[in-house]
Amino acid sequence: MKKIDVIIPVYKPGRDFLALIDRLEHQTAAVHKIIIMNTERKYFARLEGEGSFLKEYSNICVHHLAKKDFDHGRTRRQGVEYSDAPVFVMMTMDAMPVDEYMIEKLTAPLEREDVAVSYGRQTAGKDSGEIERFTRRFNYPAKGCEKSSEDMERLGIKTFFCSNVCAAYRRDIYDRLGGFIDHTIFNEDMIYAAGAIKAGYKIVYEAGAKVEHCHNYTYRQQFHRNFDLGVSQADHPEVFGAVSSEGEGAALMKKTTAYLWKNKKKRLIPGLYISSCFKYAGYLLGKHYKCLPKKLVLQCTMSKEYWRQK
């Protein structure tokens, strides 16, 4: 069995994070190191007061950084630099392995030399609403697949889809391709996946590797998140210029509407349309952020530190 490290950026972790660590420490495929990239030491100090998990698990390595220095790409690059494992897993602090087989199943596709990265299935949590549940099933179906450059005409933007909420990487290919982009507001995972696809490698969606993960965003939060998504696409035309994501969003809204109607959840449809309007408005503004005054950009973004660094 190859050595596997897990890398997790964290910010203001709570007790749920301790449960995540415990799940990772009891996987059928042993985790060599859990590398924690913590933003702001003072928040992690509060977590240490909750228990002695750092003493209980000797394979945990914590590295602190200031909030002004956090970047979706650079912080993950730094985390990888602390790893010497041939396989590393990227996770987020709000993703919870569903069972003890998650790491084993997630990393299994990387035994193949033509697979650069595999990503797992995200399922909705107990507190998720009906629309969030359907969205998770739409984006993360029960059947896995593999994607290559041959699928671009058929899948469009979804060819590059990959999520660092739960994804495993071959280190040799990662180094060969230059790793995660150093500075990005969003989508460091998809930007890397696009580079891998264009270099001739494959991306695997491993549906058997499951984590519980969801966001019950408000309309305002959805606007901010999709603004950043639009910025990311505008900043990387080499990835997103040739493929459109608008069609995928329209398909999701259409299928969600049909699902709610069929399952007698019609009362949720107006909220779905309002939510979709907030998402699309944020996305369109983000795509054209270069035409906006900086003051307005800072009001629209979810990632103010990115603009201060930029």
PDB file of all heavy atoms in Angstrom, residues 26-58:
ATOM      1  N   HIS A  26      -9.366   6.349  11.256  1.00  0.00           N
ATOM      2  CA  HIS A  26      -9.893   4.986  11.328  1.00  0.00           C
ATOM      3  C   HIS A  26     -10.352   4.499   9.958  1.00  0.00           C
ATOM      4  O   HIS A  26     -11.393   3.857   9.822  1.00  0.00           O
ATOM      5  CB  HIS A  26     -11.041   4.905  12.345  1.00  0.00           C
ATOM      6  CG  HIS A  26     -10.610   5.129  13.759  1.00  0.00           C
ATOM      7  ND1 HIS A  26     -10.552   6.394  14.334  1.00  0.00           N
ATOM      8  CD2 HIS A  26     -10.182   4.264  14.718  1.00  0.00           C
ATOM      9  CE1 HIS A  26     -10.125   6.291  15.577  1.00  0.00           C
ATOM     10  NE2 HIS A  26      -9.893   5.013  15.836  1.00  0.00           N
ATOM     11  N   GLN A  27      -9.560   4.805   8.952  1.00  0.00           N
ATOM     12  CA  GLN A  27      -9.827   4.344   7.594  1.00  0.00           C
ATOM     13  C   GLN A  27      -9.145   3.000   7.326  1.00  0.00           C
ATOM     14  O   GLN A  27      -8.126   2.673   7.936  1.00  0.00           O
ATOM     15  CB  GLN A  27      -9.330   5.370   6.581  1.00  0.00           C
ATOM     16  CG  GLN A  27     -10.108   6.679   6.589  1.00  0.00           C
ATOM     17  CD  GLN A  27     -11.470   6.556   5.947  1.00  0.00           C
ATOM     18  OE1 GLN A  27     -11.589   6.170   4.786  1.00  0.00           O
ATOM     19  NE2 GLN A  27     -12.517   6.876   6.700  1.00  0.00           N
ATOM     20  N   THR A  28      -9.704   2.216   6.404  1.00  0.00           N
ATOM     21  CA  THR A  28      -9.099   0.925   6.059  1.00  0.00           C
ATOM     22  C   THR A  28      -7.759   1.123   5.356  1.00  0.00           C
ATOM     23  O   THR A  28      -6.871   0.272   5.470  1.00  0.00           O
ATOM     24  CB  THR A  28     -10.038   0.111   5.157  1.00  0.00           C
ATOM     25  OG1 THR A  28     -10.414   0.912   4.017  1.00  0.00           O
ATOM     26  CG2 THR A  28     -11.292  -0.306   5.913  1.00  0.00           C
ATOM     27  N   ALA A  29      -7.618   2.214   4.618  1.00  0.00           N
ATOM     28  CA  ALA A  29      -6.320   2.594   4.050  1.00  0.00           C
ATOM     29  C   ALA A  29      -5.719   3.632   4.991  1.00  0.00           C
ATOM     30  O   ALA A  29      -6.241   4.741   5.126  1.00  0.00           O
ATOM     31  CB  ALA A  29      -6.490   3.168   2.649  1.00  0.00           C
ATOM     32  N   ALA A  30      -4.645   3.272   5.651  1.00  0.00           N
ATOM     33  CA  ALA A  30      -4.072   4.125   6.691  1.00  0.00           C
ATOM     34  C   ALA A  30      -3.581   5.457   6.128  1.00  0.00           C
ATOM     35  O   ALA A  30      -2.989   5.521   5.043  1.00  0.00           O
ATOM     36  CB  ALA A  30      -2.921   3.402   7.376  1.00  0.00           C
ATOM     37  N   VAL A  31      -3.833   6.514   6.864  1.00  0.00           N
ATOM     38  CA  VAL A  31      -3.347   7.848   6.504  1.00  0.00           C
ATOM     39  C   VAL A  31      -2.007   8.064   7.183  1.00  0.00           C
ATOM     40  O   VAL A  31      -1.885   7.957   8.405  1.00  0.00           O
ATOM     41  CB  VAL A  31      -4.349   8.932   6.943  1.00  0.00           C
ATOM     42  CG1 VAL A  31      -3.779  10.322   6.679  1.00  0.00           C
ATOM     43  CG2 VAL A  31      -5.680   8.747   6.213  1.00  0.00           C
ATOM     44  N   HIS A  32      -0.985   8.373   6.399  1.00  0.00           N
ATOM     45  CA  HIS A  32       0.355   8.566   6.944  1.00  0.00           C
ATOM     46  C   HIS A  32       0.440   9.864   7.745  1.00  0.00           C
ATOM     47  O   HIS A  32       0.793   9.863   8.919  1.00  0.00           O
ATOM     48  CB  HIS A  32       1.370   8.572   5.807  1.00  0.00           C
ATOM     49  CG  HIS A  32       2.769   8.880   6.237  1.00  0.00           C
ATOM     50  ND1 HIS A  32       3.446   9.996   5.803  1.00  0.00           N
ATOM     51  CD2 HIS A  32       3.605   8.229   7.080  1.00  0.00           C
ATOM     52  CE1 HIS A  32       4.653  10.014   6.361  1.00  0.00           C
ATOM     53  NE2 HIS A  32       4.771   8.967   7.135  1.00  0.00           N
ATOM     54  N   LYS A  33       0.089  10.986   7.104  1.00  0.00           N
ATOM     55  CA  LYS A  33       0.081  12.288   7.782  1.00  0.00           C
ATOM     56  C   LYS A  33      -1.202  13.039   7.446  1.00  0.00           C
ATOM     57  O   LYS A  33      -1.698  12.968   6.327  1.00  0.00           O
ATOM     58  CB  LYS A  33       1.276  13.144   7.337  1.00  0.00           C
ATOM     59  CG  LYS A  33       2.592  12.792   7.969  1.00  0.00           C
ATOM     60  CD  LYS A  33       3.630  13.896   7.774  1.00  0.00           C
ATOM     61  CE  LYS A  33       3.947  14.176   6.332  1.00  0.00           C
ATOM     62  NZ  LYS A  33       5.071  15.145   6.173  1.00  0.00           N
ATOM     63  N   ILE A  34      -1.724  13.760   8.432  1.00  0.00           N
ATOM     64  CA  ILE A  34      -2.803  14.708   8.198  1.00  0.00           C
ATOM     65  C   ILE A  34      -2.188  16.096   8.342  1.00  0.00           C
ATOM     66  O   ILE A  34      -1.770  16.498   9.433  1.00  0.00           O
ATOM     67  CB  ILE A  34      -3.954  14.528   9.196  1.00  0.00           C
ATOM     68  CG1 ILE A  34      -4.583  13.141   9.036  1.00  0.00           C
ATOM     69  CG2 ILE A  34      -5.019  15.609   8.986  1.00  0.00           C
ATOM     70  CD1 ILE A  34      -5.678  12.847  10.036  1.00  0.00           C
ATOM     71  N   ILE A  35      -2.090  16.794   7.232  1.00  0.00           N
ATOM     72  CA  ILE A  35      -1.444  18.104   7.191  1.00  0.00           C
ATOM     73  C   ILE A  35      -2.523  19.179   7.230  1.00  0.00           C
ATOM     74  O   ILE A  35      -3.341  19.285   6.315  1.00  0.00           O
ATOM     75  CB  ILE A  35      -0.595  18.243   5.918  1.00  0.00           C
ATOM     76  CG1 ILE A  35       0.499  17.151   5.910  1.00  0.00           C
ATOM     77  CG2 ILE A  35       0.018  19.641   5.822  1.00  0.00           C
ATOM     78  CD1 ILE A  35       1.208  17.008   4.576  1.00  0.00           C
ATOM     79  N   ILE A  36      -2.544  19.946   8.305  1.00  0.00           N
ATOM     80  CA  ILE A  36      -3.570  20.966   8.506  1.00  0.00           C
ATOM     81  C   ILE A  36      -2.984  22.336   8.195  1.00  0.00           C
ATOM     82  O   ILE A  36      -2.003  22.757   8.815  1.00  0.00           O
ATOM     83  CB  ILE A  36      -4.100  20.931   9.948  1.00  0.00           C
ATOM     84  CG1 ILE A  36      -4.762  19.572  10.234  1.00  0.00           C
ATOM     85  CG2 ILE A  36      -5.089  22.066  10.193  1.00  0.00           C
ATOM     86  CD1 ILE A  36      -5.150  19.376  11.682  1.00  0.00           C
ATOM     87  N   MET A  37      -3.579  23.019   7.213  1.00  0.00           N
ATOM     88  CA  MET A  37      -3.170  24.378   6.856  1.00  0.00           C
ATOM     89  C   MET A  37      -4.176  25.323   7.504  1.00  0.00           C
ATOM     90  O   MET A  37      -5.249  25.599   6.959  1.00  0.00           O
ATOM     91  CB  MET A  37      -3.138  24.536   5.336  1.00  0.00           C
ATOM     92  CG  MET A  37      -2.181  23.577   4.639  1.00  0.00           C
ATOM     93  SD  MET A  37      -0.454  23.805   5.157  1.00  0.00           S
ATOM     94  CE  MET A  37      -0.123  25.435   4.478  1.00  0.00           C
ATOM     95  N   ASN A  38      -3.835  25.805   8.684  1.00  0.00           N
ATOM     96  CA  ASN A  38      -4.770  26.586   9.488  1.00  0.00           C
ATOM     97  C   ASN A  38      -4.593  28.090   9.277  1.00  0.00           C
ATOM     98  O   ASN A  38      -3.492  28.626   9.378  1.00  0.00           O
ATOM     99  CB  ASN A  38      -4.570  26.271  10.976  1.00  0.00           C
ATOM    100  CG  ASN A  38      -5.438  27.157  11.842  1.00  0.00           C
ATOM    101  OD1 ASN A  38      -6.655  27.051  11.827  1.00  0.00           O
ATOM    102  ND2 ASN A  38      -4.802  28.055  12.591  1.00  0.00           N
ATOM    103  N   THR A  39      -5.716  28.761   9.019  1.00  0.00           N
ATOM    104  CA  THR A  39      -5.712  30.215   8.889  1.00  0.00           C
ATOM    105  C   THR A  39      -6.021  30.849  10.240  1.00  0.00           C
ATOM    106  O   THR A  39      -7.090  30.594  10.809  1.00  0.00           O
ATOM    107  CB  THR A  39      -6.745  30.663   7.849  1.00  0.00           C
ATOM    108  OG1 THR A  39      -6.412  30.091   6.579  1.00  0.00           O
ATOM    109  CG2 THR A  39      -6.770  32.175   7.718  1.00  0.00           C
ATOM    110  N   GLU A  40      -5.087  31.622  10.750  1.00  0.00           N
ATOM    111  CA  GLU A  40      -5.166  32.329  12.032  1.00  0.00           C
ATOM    112  C   GLU A  40      -5.028  31.375  13.230  1.00  0.00           C
ATOM    113  O   GLU A  40      -5.940  30.640  13.562  1.00  0.00           O
ATOM    114  CB  GLU A  40      -6.451  33.153  12.152  1.00  0.00           C
ATOM    115  CG  GLU A  40      -6.550  34.295  11.152  1.00  0.00           C
ATOM    116  CD  GLU A  40      -5.476  35.360  11.344  1.00  0.00           C
ATOM    117  OE1 GLU A  40      -4.853  35.394  12.426  1.00  0.00           O
ATOM    118  OE2 GLU A  40      -5.269  36.161  10.414  1.00  0.00           O
ATOM    119  N   ARG A  41      -3.863  31.431  13.855  1.00  0.00           N
ATOM    120  CA  ARG A  41      -3.518  30.557  14.975  1.00  0.00           C
ATOM    121  C   ARG A  41      -4.510  30.661  16.134  1.00  0.00           C
ATOM    122  O   ARG A  41      -4.826  29.669  16.796  1.00  0.00           O
ATOM    123  CB  ARG A  41      -2.104  30.905  15.476  1.00  0.00           C
ATOM    124  CG  ARG A  41      -1.614  30.036  16.630  1.00  0.00           C
ATOM    125  CD  ARG A  41      -0.291  30.559  17.170  1.00  0.00           C
ATOM    126  NE  ARG A  41       0.769  30.427  16.188  1.00  0.00           N
ATOM    127  CZ  ARG A  41       1.581  29.376  16.123  1.00  0.00           C
ATOM    128  NH1 ARG A  41       1.449  28.378  16.978  1.00  0.00           N
ATOM    129  NH2 ARG A  41       2.535  29.337  15.217  1.00  0.00           N
ATOM    130  N   LYS A  42      -5.033  31.864  16.388  1.00  0.00           N
ATOM    131  CA  LYS A  42      -5.894  32.065  17.565  1.00  0.00           C
ATOM    132  C   LYS A  42      -7.152  31.206  17.514  1.00  0.00           C
ATOM    133  O   LYS A  42      -7.656  30.771  18.551  1.00  0.00           O
ATOM    134  CB  LYS A  42      -6.269  33.534  17.706  1.00  0.00           C
ATOM    135  CG  LYS A  42      -7.050  34.107  16.525  1.00  0.00           C
ATOM    136  CD  LYS A  42      -7.319  35.602  16.717  1.00  0.00           C
ATOM    137  CE  LYS A  42      -8.051  36.199  15.524  1.00  0.00           C
ATOM    138  NZ  LYS A  42      -8.275  37.651  15.679  1.00  0.00           N
ATOM    139  N   TYR A  43      -7.677  30.945  16.317  1.00  0.00           N
ATOM    140  CA  TYR A  43      -8.886  30.132  16.215  1.00  0.00           C
ATOM    141  C   TYR A  43      -8.585  28.657  16.446  1.00  0.00           C
ATOM    142  O   TYR A  43      -9.395  27.929  17.006  1.00  0.00           O
ATOM    143  CB  TYR A  43      -9.537  30.329  14.844  1.00  0.00           C
ATOM    144  CG  TYR A  43      -9.974  31.750  14.599  1.00  0.00           C
ATOM    145  CD1 TYR A  43      -9.506  32.456  13.500  1.00  0.00           C
ATOM    146  CD2 TYR A  43     -10.856  32.386  15.471  1.00  0.00           C
ATOM    147  CE1 TYR A  43      -9.905  33.770  13.266  1.00  0.00           C
ATOM    148  CE2 TYR A  43     -11.259  33.703  15.248  1.00  0.00           C
ATOM    149  CZ  TYR A  43     -10.777  34.385  14.151  1.00  0.00           C
ATOM    150  OH  TYR A  43     -11.162  35.684  13.938  1.00  0.00           O
ATOM    151  N   PHE A  44      -7.417  28.227  16.033  1.00  0.00           N
ATOM    152  CA  PHE A  44      -7.040  26.828  16.248  1.00  0.00           C
ATOM    153  C   PHE A  44      -6.719  26.581  17.721  1.00  0.00           C
ATOM    154  O   PHE A  44      -6.950  25.485  18.234  1.00  0.00           O
ATOM    155  CB  PHE A  44      -5.831  26.459  15.390  1.00  0.00           C
ATOM    156  CG  PHE A  44      -5.664  24.975  15.202  1.00  0.00           C
ATOM    157  CD1 PHE A  44      -6.376  24.303  14.227  1.00  0.00           C
ATOM    158  CD2 PHE A  44      -4.804  24.250  16.011  1.00  0.00           C
ATOM    159  CE1 PHE A  44      -6.227  22.940  14.055  1.00  0.00           C
ATOM    160  CE2 PHE A  44      -4.653  22.890  15.853  1.00  0.00           C
ATOM    161  CZ  PHE A  44      -5.368  22.230  14.868  1.00  0.00           C
ATOM    162  N   ALA A  45      -6.198  27.597  18.388  1.00  0.00           N
ATOM    163  CA  ALA A  45      -5.893  27.464  19.814  1.00  0.00           C
ATOM    164  C   ALA A  45      -7.150  27.145  20.615  1.00  0.00           C
ATOM    165  O   ALA A  45      -7.116  26.373  21.579  1.00  0.00           O
ATOM    166  CB  ALA A  45      -5.247  28.750  20.330  1.00  0.00           C
ATOM    167  N   ARG A  46      -8.280  27.715  20.206  1.00  0.00           N
ATOM    168  CA  ARG A  46      -9.545  27.415  20.875  1.00  0.00           C
ATOM    169  C   ARG A  46      -9.919  25.953  20.684  1.00  0.00           C
ATOM    170  O   ARG A  46     -10.431  25.304  21.589  1.00  0.00           O
ATOM    171  CB  ARG A  46     -10.661  28.302  20.330  1.00  0.00           C
ATOM    172  CG  ARG A  46     -10.459  29.783  20.610  1.00  0.00           C
ATOM    173  CD  ARG A  46     -11.662  30.608  20.250  1.00  0.00           C
ATOM    174  NE  ARG A  46     -12.129  30.355  18.894  1.00  0.00           N
ATOM    175  CZ  ARG A  46     -13.025  31.106  18.267  1.00  0.00           C
ATOM    176  NH1 ARG A  46     -13.552  32.154  18.892  1.00  0.00           N
ATOM    177  NH2 ARG A  46     -13.401  30.831  17.035  1.00  0.00           N
ATOM    178  N   LEU A  47      -9.642  25.411  19.510  1.00  0.00           N
ATOM    179  CA  LEU A  47      -9.951  24.004  19.249  1.00  0.00           C
ATOM    180  C   LEU A  47      -9.092  23.088  20.099  1.00  0.00           C
ATOM    181  O   LEU A  47      -9.563  22.065  20.611  1.00  0.00           O
ATOM    182  CB  LEU A  47      -9.730  23.692  17.766  1.00  0.00           C
ATOM    183  CG  LEU A  47     -10.043  22.253  17.334  1.00  0.00           C
ATOM    184  CD1 LEU A  47     -11.531  21.963  17.458  1.00  0.00           C
ATOM    185  CD2 LEU A  47      -9.578  22.011  15.906  1.00  0.00           C
ATOM    186  N   GLU A  48      -7.836  23.432  20.274  1.00  0.00           N
ATOM    187  CA  GLU A  48      -6.943  22.611  21.088  1.00  0.00           C
ATOM    188  C   GLU A  48      -7.446  22.500  22.520  1.00  0.00           C
ATOM    189  O   GLU A  48      -7.206  21.507  23.204  1.00  0.00           O
ATOM    190  CB  GLU A  48      -5.533  23.194  21.060  1.00  0.00           C
ATOM    191  CG  GLU A  48      -4.855  23.051  19.702  1.00  0.00           C
ATOM    192  CD  GLU A  48      -3.486  23.713  19.672  1.00  0.00           C
ATOM    193  OE1 GLU A  48      -3.431  24.953  19.698  1.00  0.00           O
ATOM    194  OE2 GLU A  48      -2.493  22.966  19.639  1.00  0.00           O
ATOM    195  N   GLY A  49      -8.179  23.498  22.959  1.00  0.00           N
ATOM    196  CA  GLY A  49      -8.730  23.454  24.305  1.00  0.00           C
ATOM    197  C   GLY A  49      -9.861  22.465  24.457  1.00  0.00           C
ATOM    198  O   GLY A  49     -10.254  22.106  25.564  1.00  0.00           O
ATOM    199  N   GLU A  50     -10.409  21.984  23.292  1.00  0.00           N
ATOM    200  CA  GLU A  50     -11.514  21.021  23.333  1.00  0.00           C
ATOM    201  C   GLU A  50     -11.046  19.616  23.677  1.00  0.00           C
ATOM    202  O   GLU A  50     -11.825  18.753  24.026  1.00  0.00           O
ATOM    203  CB  GLU A  50     -12.223  20.993  21.972  1.00  0.00           C
ATOM    204  CG  GLU A  50     -12.896  22.291  21.595  1.00  0.00           C
ATOM    205  CD  GLU A  50     -14.167  22.529  22.375  1.00  0.00           C
ATOM    206  OE1 GLU A  50     -14.679  21.556  22.949  1.00  0.00           O
ATOM    207  OE2 GLU A  50     -14.633  23.675  22.407  1.00  0.00           O
ATOM    208  N   GLY A  51      -9.772  19.342  23.531  1.00  0.00           N
ATOM    209  CA  GLY A  51      -9.296  17.986  23.803  1.00  0.00           C
ATOM    210  C   GLY A  51      -7.837  17.827  23.462  1.00  0.00           C
ATOM    211  O   GLY A  51      -7.148  18.786  23.143  1.00  0.00           O
ATOM    212  N   SER A  52      -7.377  16.614  23.517  1.00  0.00           N
ATOM    213  CA  SER A  52      -5.944  16.345  23.330  1.00  0.00           C
ATOM    214  C   SER A  52      -5.694  15.596  22.024  1.00  0.00           C
ATOM    215  O   SER A  52      -4.855  14.703  21.968  1.00  0.00           O
ATOM    216  CB  SER A  52      -5.426  15.510  24.502  1.00  0.00           C
ATOM    217  OG  SER A  52      -6.165  14.303  24.609  1.00  0.00           O
ATOM    218  N   PHE A  53      -6.436  15.941  20.955  1.00  0.00           N
ATOM    219  CA  PHE A  53      -6.328  15.167  19.727  1.00  0.00           C
ATOM    220  C   PHE A  53      -4.929  15.245  19.114  1.00  0.00           C
ATOM    221  O   PHE A  53      -4.474  14.305  18.464  1.00  0.00           O
ATOM    222  CB  PHE A  53      -7.396  15.582  18.716  1.00  0.00           C
ATOM    223  CG  PHE A  53      -7.138  16.875  18.003  1.00  0.00           C
ATOM    224  CD1 PHE A  53      -6.672  16.878  16.702  1.00  0.00           C
ATOM    225  CD2 PHE A  53      -7.367  18.091  18.626  1.00  0.00           C
ATOM    226  CE1 PHE A  53      -6.443  18.060  16.030  1.00  0.00           C
ATOM    227  CE2 PHE A  53      -7.145  19.280  17.963  1.00  0.00           C
ATOM    228  CZ  PHE A  53      -6.676  19.266  16.664  1.00  0.00           C
ATOM    229  N   LEU A  54      -4.208  16.357  19.321  1.00  0.00           N
ATOM    230  CA  LEU A  54      -2.855  16.451  18.791  1.00  0.00           C
ATOM    231  C   LEU A  54      -1.911  15.475  19.486  1.00  0.00           C
ATOM    232  O   LEU A  54      -0.961  14.972  18.892  1.00  0.00           O
ATOM    233  CB  LEU A  54      -2.333  17.878  18.935  1.00  0.00           C
ATOM    234  CG  LEU A  54      -2.976  18.927  18.013  1.00  0.00           C
ATOM    235  CD1 LEU A  54      -2.406  20.302  18.293  1.00  0.00           C
ATOM    236  CD2 LEU A  54      -2.791  18.559  16.553  1.00  0.00           C
ATOM    237  N   LYS A  55      -2.169  15.200  20.755  1.00  0.00           N
ATOM    238  CA  LYS A  55      -1.365  14.225  21.477  1.00  0.00           C
ATOM    239  C   LYS A  55      -1.822  12.799  21.165  1.00  0.00           C
ATOM    240  O   LYS A  55      -1.024  11.866  21.114  1.00  0.00           O
ATOM    241  CB  LYS A  55      -1.453  14.477  22.987  1.00  0.00           C
ATOM    242  CG  LYS A  55      -0.860  15.812  23.420  1.00  0.00           C
ATOM    243  CD  LYS A  55      -1.020  16.017  24.922  1.00  0.00           C
ATOM    244  CE  LYS A  55      -0.452  17.364  25.353  1.00  0.00           C
ATOM    245  NZ  LYS A  55      -0.645  17.601  26.814  1.00  0.00           N
ATOM    246  N   GLU A  56      -3.119  12.654  20.952  1.00  0.00           N
ATOM    247  CA  GLU A  56      -3.670  11.327  20.688  1.00  0.00           C
ATOM    248  C   GLU A  56      -3.224  10.790  19.332  1.00  0.00           C
ATOM    249  O   GLU A  56      -2.953   9.602  19.181  1.00  0.00           O
ATOM    250  CB  GLU A  56      -5.199  11.401  20.735  1.00  0.00           C
ATOM    251  CG  GLU A  56      -5.895  10.066  20.531  1.00  0.00           C
ATOM    252  CD  GLU A  56      -7.397  10.191  20.624  1.00  0.00           C
ATOM    253  OE1 GLU A  56      -7.896  11.297  20.945  1.00  0.00           O
ATOM    254  OE2 GLU A  56      -8.082   9.173  20.376  1.00  0.00           O
ATOM    255  N   TYR A  57      -3.130  11.690  18.351  1.00  0.00           N
ATOM    256  CA  TYR A  57      -2.752  11.273  17.003  1.00  0.00           C
ATOM    257  C   TYR A  57      -1.424  11.936  16.632  1.00  0.00           C
ATOM    258  O   TYR A  57      -1.364  13.138  16.375  1.00  0.00           O
ATOM    259  CB  TYR A  57      -3.835  11.662  16.001  1.00  0.00           C
ATOM    260  CG  TYR A  57      -5.189  11.056  16.294  1.00  0.00           C
ATOM    261  CD1 TYR A  57      -6.309  11.857  16.507  1.00  0.00           C
ATOM    262  CD2 TYR A  57      -5.353   9.673  16.355  1.00  0.00           C
ATOM    263  CE1 TYR A  57      -7.557  11.296  16.768  1.00  0.00           C
ATOM    264  CE2 TYR A  57      -6.594   9.105  16.622  1.00  0.00           C
ATOM    265  CZ  TYR A  57      -7.687   9.917  16.822  1.00  0.00           C
ATOM    266  OH  TYR A  57      -8.916   9.358  17.078  1.00  0.00           O
ATOM    267  N   SER A  58      -0.385  11.145  16.583  1.00  0.00           N
ATOM    268  CA  SER A  58       0.955  11.688  16.363  1.00  0.00           C
ATOM    269  C   SER A  58       1.230  12.041  14.903  1.00  0.00           C
ATOM    270  O   SER A  58       2.275  12.623  14.593  1.00  0.00           O
ATOM    271  CB  SER A  58       2.004  10.676  16.843  1.00  0.00           C
ATOM    272  OG  SER A  58       1.872   9.447  16.123  1.00  0.00           O
TER     273      SER A  58
END
